[in-house]
Amino acid sequence: MLQLARRMSRAKPSAIMMVAEKAKRLKAAGRDIISFSIGVPNFLPGDHVYAAARDALAKDSGQYGSNRGSDALLDAFLKHIEQVGLTGYTKANCATGIGAKHVIYNICEALLDEGDTITFPTPYWTSYVDIAEILDAKIDLLPCPAEQDYKLTPAQLDAALAKKPRVFLFNNPSNPTGMVYTKAEIDALADVVAKYPDTWVITDDIYNRMVFDDVGYHNFVNARPELRDRVIFIDSLSKTYGMPGWRVGFMAGPEVVAQAVTTMNSNHITNIPEIVTAAAVAALSGPQDVPSAKCVEFQGKRDQVMAALTAIPGVVCPKPHGAFYAFPDISVAFGKTHQPTGLAIGNDIDFCSALLEAKGVACVPGSAFGEPRALRISYTCPTPQLAPGLARIQEFFAELA
Ligand code: PLP
């Protein structure tokens, strides 16, 4: 029988998508499902974005575009990142891709040879592991449990970088935990990074506009400008602008890395489509009222989620200050049984499966993110569904014994 390449034995479909698909199937079968599973922002971009796309359609050039990204898009991105203190970059430092996931994939492929080590904190965004596994990189996980607010400490980073990994991958604000590193925390981690010049740093900061409580967004390059020679900043339109399906992601970093991503693009995607590019420019440069309003809305939803979770005995949830996720430790439920259904809960997967079965609430098991004591709640559902969904989770806990 004809075989697939060996790397396909390491490739697996996204665990998050699998939960979302199951929730969709149950809904289609007539069940009343509230989905806290998939990490979509659940809003649409402003009218000016659609107007720009329609205009581009009317003026379609019929040509291929730039492998790196159009000049207009790169200029808009450069202005955008200046607002978070990333100044002095030029178009040669930037590249685009079909979403941040694609950009991260390209960068990992450009930086990691088979057997090279990539290190990152747990809990992690699932695709980091999936991408590293496809590339046959060694993964060095840095456990950051709820007891340390799911945050990496300078001592942990120091020990990890002393082993000279090729890549340190960082994510701030975090999916799945919603944690946001303070300025002091970023400064301390940047001091450690500065000690180890042999490691590339990818900082996946696609939620940088979704930060609450005046914590602010900070990054390693703000903290130590000399790190720009090896720090690669990742951004995306998906979450900030309500455009996940438009598929636009970015990087800013060393020219050699931006060129590598551009070369990779030339060998698979060629370019981001012209109409999408026009919409992306409009999103980045036009009125920012939609993303700003959504950030305020998400902060309010975060408060609702925290109020519901802290009322459940034994559940611990470090308070998220950004993105749109909460990541409660629900291990208090392990070893119990859901009395009305008789479903036994041995672990996070049992928990999520029983919760979906019994109460029609879909969450993603924490083991998908490397933390099997927790589950992820993505709270961007329509506002009228949030309170009932949270009430069902509370009921579910009350019915365990
Ligand atoms: N990075 C993180 C931390 C994410 O949560 C996601 C999407 O969920 C991505 C990257 C991918 O974003 P994009 O839609 O731009 O591919």
Side-chain angles (χ1 to χ4, degrees):
M1 202 177 109
L2 283 175
Q3 301 291 319
L4 298 177
R6 275 195 305 280
R7 83 176 63 85
M8 287 316 293
S9 66
R10 302 187 299 266
K12 49 185 184 304
S14 154
I16 303 173
M17 291 295 181
M18 279 157 52
V19 177
E21 289 303 319
K22 182 169 177 191
K24 245 192 225 162
R25 272 200 311 276
L26 288 172
K27 203 169 195 162
R31 285 282 306 274
D32 165 26
I33 301 294
I34 295 179
S35 181
F36 292 156
S37 63
I38 191 162
V40 287
N42 260 326
F43 63 90
L44 294 172
D47 291 343
H48 62 288
V49 173
Y50 292 104
R54 276 192 289 271
D55 194 38
L57 184 60
K59 295 182 189 148
D60 179 27
S61 76
Q63 303 299 316
Y64 287 123
S66 157
N67 301 147
R68 189 184 290 273
S70 79
D71 282 348
L73 181 55
L74 296 173
D75 282 332
F77 177 58
L78 286 166
K79 284 220 176 70
H80 184 70
I81 64 175
E82 271 179 18
Q83 293 158 14
V84 289
L86 294 175
T87 53
Y89 287 88
T90 69
K91 291 202 257 297
N93 298 109
C94 301
T96 60
I98 305 291
K101 187 188 271 183
H102 176 235
V103 176
I104 295 168
Y105 188 95
N106 270 345
I107 293 170
C108 287
E109 196 150 33
L111 301 183
L112 290 160
D113 281 313
E114 285 179 15
D116 282 346
T117 300
I118 179 168
T119 188
F120 50 87
T122 314
Y124 46 73
W125 180 49
T126 46
S127 292
Y128 300 155
V129 168
D130 299 337
I131 292 170
E133 284 181 348
I134 293 172
L135 298 176
D136 213 7
K138 281 199 201 106
I139 302 172
D140 186 17
L141 296 176
L142 311 175
C144 302
E147 294 76 27
Q148 62 187 67
D149 280 350
Y150 298 128
K151 284 183 180 175
L152 184 67
T153 66
Q156 277 182 300
L157 182 61
D158 205 318
L161 297 191
K163 293 186 258 174
K164 298 194 173 185
R166 254 331 250 157
V167 175
F168 162 46
L169 174 51
F170 188 65
N171 172 215
N172 174 45
S174 159
N175 176 6
T177 67
M179 291 302 116
V180 180
Y181 287 77
T182 63
K183 179 168 184 327
E185 287 164 342
I186 289 290
D187 285 349
L189 292 173
D191 288 348
V192 177
V193 169
K195 279 172 60 185
Y196 297 100
D198 296 325
T199 299
W200 292 102
V201 179
I202 304 173
T203 184
D204 176 359
D205 297 359
I206 73 160
Y207 298 92
N208 66 74
R209 307 285 158 141
M210 283 183 189
V211 176
F212 317 139
D213 311 315
D214 297 324
V215 175
Y217 159 75
H218 308 280
N219 63 56
F220 298 136
V221 173
N222 301 146
R224 280 193 170 247
E226 75 271 22
L227 293 179
R228 69 171 55 214
D229 288 348
R230 59 196 172 88
V231 170
I232 304 145
F233 166 83
I234 306 290
D235 209 344
S236 167
L237 291 192
S238 294
K239 318 289 174 167
T240 309
Y241 293 101
M243 299 173 74
W246 291 76
R247 310 304 303 130
V248 184
F250 305 91
M251 64 142 287
E255 285 188 21
V256 64
V257 178
Q259 182 54 52
V261 169
T262 304
T263 303
M264 304 287 273
N265 281 346
S266 78
N267 285 303
H268 36 56
I269 65 163
T270 302
N271 63 272
I272 298 180
E274 202 165 288
I275 295 156
V276 172
T277 296
V281 172
L284 292 174
S285 346
Q288 302 293 306
D289 45 339
V290 173
S292 304
K294 282 293 159 183
C295 190
V296 173
E297 180 188 319
F298 290 159
Q299 179 168 335
K301 285 181 160 171
R302 183 278 317 264
D303 291 339
Q304 256 181 286
V305 172
M306 283 306 291
L309 293 176
T310 45
I312 304 172
V315 169
V316 178
C317 188
K319 187 175 180 182
H321 291 286
F324 39 69
Y325 309 106
F327 201 62
D329 182 322
I330 45 96
S331 55
V332 66
F334 298 170
K336 297 187 176 166
T337 299
H338 181 245
Q339 298 301 315
T341 58
L343 293 166
I345 311 228
N347 56 35
D348 61 324
I349 298 171
D350 294 343
F351 183 96
C352 288
S353 164
L355 179 66
L356 184 55
E357 209 59 52
K359 299 288 176 193
V361 175
C363 297
V364 184
S367 46
F369 311 96
E371 176 45 275
R373 290 183 301 167
L375 60 75
R376 189 187 75 174
I377 295 175
S378 172
Y379 53 76
T380 59
C381 60
T383 304
Q385 290 179 11
L386 186 60
L390 294 169
R392 289 187 204 181
I393 295 178
Q394 289 179 322
E395 272 167 32
F396 183 78
F397 269 100
E399 291 165 358
L400 298 180

